[in-house]
Amino acid sequence: MSGQGIANGSPRMAIAWLTRFPPRLWREGRRLGLLILGHFMVFALAIGHDEIVAECVAEELIAARHAETAEMVVAFGLFLVWTALTVAIVRMVDAARSGAGAA
């Protein structure tokens, strides 16, 4: 073993390895992670949006005659949020691709 890796090297080597990435990559990674997390949250809400509306009707927050309309509005809202998240990811990938081609 040469002692050059993170696992068997000094702690300074590990810190040097982590700091070799520019802050831009940290920001982009964090943003991409949050966008993916947003997709998972919208997906989970889309799976259970009818139950959410049913609970709102049971708690009398929504009138029973408006339940179907409320369900459609929630589904459409989730679709719009999903679309916005997807567009944001596509723009991020396009910006990364154009930046990588210039380097």
Side-chain angles (χ1 to χ4, degrees):
M1 294 282 174
S2 64
Q4 297 296 323
I6 293 174
N8 56 1
S10 71
R12 289 184 183 176
M13 292 280 297
I15 292 171
W17 183 83
L18 287 174
T19 59
R20 72 180 182 176
F21 299 110
R24 186 183 124 246
L25 288 180
W26 285 98
R27 281 191 307 272
E28 288 178 354
R30 186 178 315 120
R31 184 171 179 223
L32 181 63
L34 289 174
L35 288 172
I36 292 171
L37 179 64
H39 270 94
F40 282 128
M41 290 174 57
V42 170
F43 181 73
L45 288 172
I47 288 174
H49 78 282
D50 50 347
E51 286 87 4
I52 293 170
V53 171
E55 286 295 320
C56 289
V57 169
E59 294 292 325
E60 297 178 356
L61 297 172
I62 299 173
R65 66 175 191 255
H66 297 301
E68 190 171 326
T69 304
E71 194 172 326
M72 294 301 291
V73 168
V74 170
F76 184 69
L78 290 171
F79 173 74
L80 291 177
V81 172
W82 182 273
T83 302
L85 289 169
T86 302
V87 167
I89 285 181
V90 168
R91 286 184 179 169
M92 179 185 289
V93 169
D94 283 344
R97 186 177 300 150
S98 67

